[in-house]
């Protein structure tokens, strides 16, 4: 079992759980030979996806997040994660690392991988723009079919990525037309499933009213300090799978070192990070932790040989205080 320890991570504005750059001794080797045979096989349960044209499609319940790992910074971490049981990778056009991720993925069997990327808000618009962006992402990733494509943000924003704003003539109808084109590309077989990210109940209902089509996934911030119960309830009702980001509170000491988290960590002989990730899984969500450290990458997928009791789940959930770590300057609730 893993010994209890405190984990310290950098805080960032978009809720990533990326940690400080490792020292030379901690850095992940970049010359490790990559073969499918050398990868560890860890049984990661898969969760069925609904609202998709692909029958019996399921998504791994743990994936490797890549936000903040720009360009070549992603390569050693991703190599190590794939060699240690991860099969799902979460990225986005705006993360600026799709090409480098593709270079690593080329060493692994495509059918064993689940790849998610996202359409940024500046690319909402005409059918031509949307399809062009999908094809560019797939080209950079070196794949002919994408597992999951998400609309990254429901509309305009003023915080992160200011140089990539929504089109000047953006309106909720543009979001709906963008979604229709994403669905069309899904039906054509370029994408196995389509979903959204940072959508509130209002945005999900608007998509349903305007298009009649619901997403397979909604990727949102979710951790014991921030539990948007209205979104969780609506997504459960409509069979929309939740993917949780900022599961570790963006590496905030405030969450990782909270007395309740530490107490449960000690009781279970698991790290605080493992407790928080397991909490997300038992809430029914997929989790996508990110780390630059080998030990944390290994630990973050070892979540299926223990459970958090009903009482401890309630104790963790009681920490909810509506505190968000991601998108501090961009609140999806104010997007029309």
């Amino acid at each position: 079992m893993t010994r209890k320890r405190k984990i310290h991570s950098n805080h960032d504005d978009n809720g990533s759980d990326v940690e400080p750059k490792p020292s030379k001794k901690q850095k992940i080797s970049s010359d490790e030979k990559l073969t499918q045979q050398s990868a560890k096989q860890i049984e990661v349960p898969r969760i069925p996806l609904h609202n998709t044209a692909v029958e019996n499609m399921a998504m791994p319940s743990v994936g490797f997040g890549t936000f903040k790992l720009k360009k070549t910074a992603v390569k050693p971490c991703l190599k190590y994660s794939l060699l240690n049981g991860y099969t799902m990778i979460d990225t986005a056009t705006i993360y600026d690392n799709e090409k480098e991720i593709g270079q690593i993925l080329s060493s692994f069997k495509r059918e064993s991988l689940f790849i998610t990327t996202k359409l940024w808000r500046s690319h909402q618009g005409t059918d031509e723009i949307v399809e062009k962006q999908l094809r560019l992402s797939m080209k950079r990733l070196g794949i002919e079919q994408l597992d999951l494509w998400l609309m990254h943000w429901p509309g305009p924003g003023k915080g992160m990525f200011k140089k990539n704003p929504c089109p000047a003539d953006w309106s909720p109808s543009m979001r709906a037309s963008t979604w229709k084109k994403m669905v069309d590309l899904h039906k054509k077989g370029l994408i196995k499933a389509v979903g959204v990210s940072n959508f509130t109940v209002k945005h999900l209902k608007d998509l349903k009213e305007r298009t009649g089509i619901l997403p397979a996934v909604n990727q949102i911030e979710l951790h014991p300090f921030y539990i948007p119960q209205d979104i969780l309830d609506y997504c459960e009702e409509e069979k929309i799978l939740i993917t949780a980001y900022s599961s570790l509170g963006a590496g905030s000491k405030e969450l990782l070192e909270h007395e309740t988290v530490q107490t449960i960590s000690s009781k279970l002989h698991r790290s605080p990070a493992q407790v928080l990730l397991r909490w997300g899984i038992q809430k029914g969500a997929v989790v996508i932790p990110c780390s630059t450290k080998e030990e944390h990458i290994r630990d973050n997928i070892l979540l299926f040989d223990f459970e958090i009791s009903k009482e401890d789940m309630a104790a963790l959930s009681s920490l909810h205080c509506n505190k968000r770590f991601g998108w501090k300057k961009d609140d999806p609730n104010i997007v029309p």
Side-chain angles (χ1 to χ4, degrees):
M1 288 192 173
T2 304
R3 293 181 181 276
K4 174 186 169 185
R5 66 181 182 285
K6 293 182 179 180
I7 297 176
H8 302 278
S9 303
N10 274 351
H11 171 86
D12 66 73
D13 200 37
N14 191 27
S16 168
D17 293 315
V18 174
E19 296 155 351
K21 290 183 179 179
S23 66
K24 290 183 179 179
K25 289 184 179 180
Q26 295 172 315
K27 283 186 178 178
I28 298 165
S29 171
S30 61
D31 59 3
E32 188 169 6
K33 186 177 180 181
L34 286 173
T35 66
Q36 188 67 29
Q37 290 72 29
S38 65
K40 291 181 181 178
Q41 300 301 311
I42 295 177
E43 285 294 326
V44 174
R46 288 178 170 250
I47 305 176
L49 285 178
H50 302 278
N51 304 322
T52 173
V54 178
E55 291 187 4
N56 302 317
M57 186 175 179
M59 186 174 180
S61 49
V62 180
F64 187 74
T66 66
F67 178 66
K68 285 286 188 179
L69 299 177
K70 285 189 175 184
K71 296 190 180 298
T72 58
V74 76
K75 296 176 80 170
C77 308
L78 182 59
K79 284 180 183 180
Y80 192 80
S81 71
L82 292 173
L83 287 170
N84 283 274
Y86 292 79
T87 59
M88 182 172 70
I89 304 94
D90 181 88
T91 184
T93 300
I94 203 69
Y95 295 175
D96 196 18
N97 60 16
E98 288 177 323
K99 180 180 178 181
E100 290 73 19
I101 287 173
Q103 292 168 353
I104 299 300
L105 298 185
S106 64
S107 298
F108 292 84
K109 293 179 181 179
R110 174 65 183 95
E111 61 268 24
S112 69
L113 303 173
F114 189 107
I115 305 169
T116 300
T117 192
K118 310 177 191 73
L119 177 77
W120 184 239
R121 59 189 175 206
S122 59
H123 299 139
Q124 290 190 33
T126 65
D127 289 357
E128 292 75 18
I129 291 172
V130 175
E131 182 167 353
K132 178 183 178 181
Q133 292 306 314
L134 172 62
R135 293 187 181 278
L136 284 173
S137 283
M138 291 196 301
K139 181 179 180 180
R140 287 189 289 262
L141 289 165
I143 58 177
E144 296 181 355
Q145 186 184 46
L146 184 64
D147 295 287
L148 177 62
W149 199 31
L150 306 180
M151 191 186 303
H152 204 152
W153 189 259
K158 298 180 180 180
M160 297 289 289
F161 311 113
K162 295 178 182 178
K163 295 180 180 179
N164 304 90
C166 266
D169 60 344
W170 184 91
S171 68
S173 63
M174 181 179 288
R175 176 175 61 222
S177 63
T178 298
W179 177 245
K180 286 180 180 178
K181 181 58 179 178
M182 291 175 67
V183 171
D184 178 58
L185 293 168
H186 163 55
K187 290 179 177 178
K188 288 180 179 179
L190 291 173
I191 321 156
K192 291 184 179 179
V194 287
V196 297
S197 183
N198 300 297
F199 273 47
T200 66
V201 173
K202 173 181 66 178
H203 302 132
L204 294 168
K205 287 183 175 180
D206 183 67
L207 275 191
K208 185 177 181 180
E209 290 171 4
R210 291 176 185 268
T211 71
I213 304 165
L214 286 165
V217 170
N218 186 17
Q219 186 177 125
I220 60 170
E221 180 168 356
L222 175 65
H223 47 76
F225 280 5
Y226 185 73
I227 308 173
Q229 196 61 49
D230 61 330
I231 299 178
L232 300 183
D233 290 343
Y234 183 79
C235 287
E236 182 178 11
E237 177 184 338
E238 297 289 3
K239 296 184 177 180
I240 301 169
L241 180 61
I242 293 290
T243 296
Y245 67 77
S246 289
S247 296
L248 310 183
S252 167
K253 294 180 182 180
E254 186 179 358
L255 179 56
L256 284 165
E257 298 184 7
H258 191 281
E259 181 180 2
T260 299
V261 177
Q262 292 283 325
T263 298
I264 296 171
S265 168
S266 180
K267 181 193 300 185
L268 295 174
H269 303 287
R270 295 286 171 162
S271 72
Q274 288 174 314
V275 168
L276 292 170
L277 292 168
R278 180 69 200 189
W279 176 88
I281 288 171
Q282 289 185 215
K283 292 287 284 185
V286 169
V287 294
I288 47 172
C290 177
S291 180
T292 59
K293 296 180 181 178
E294 293 181 356
E295 181 184 10
H296 295 171
I297 292 172
R298 290 195 306 269
D299 285 354
N300 287 347
I301 199 172
L302 300 177
L303 306 172
F304 304 103
D305 58 351
F306 74 100
E307 288 189 3
I308 301 174
S309 69
K310 183 178 180 181
E311 293 75 19
D312 286 341
M313 283 292 293
L316 289 166
S317 296
S318 72
L319 301 181
H320 172 67
C321 54
N322 212 37
K323 183 178 180 63
R324 296 166 63 229
F325 294 98
W327 301 100
K328 283 191 170 182
K329 298 177 182 178
D330 277 343
D331 184 354
N333 289 293
I334 66 174
V335 176

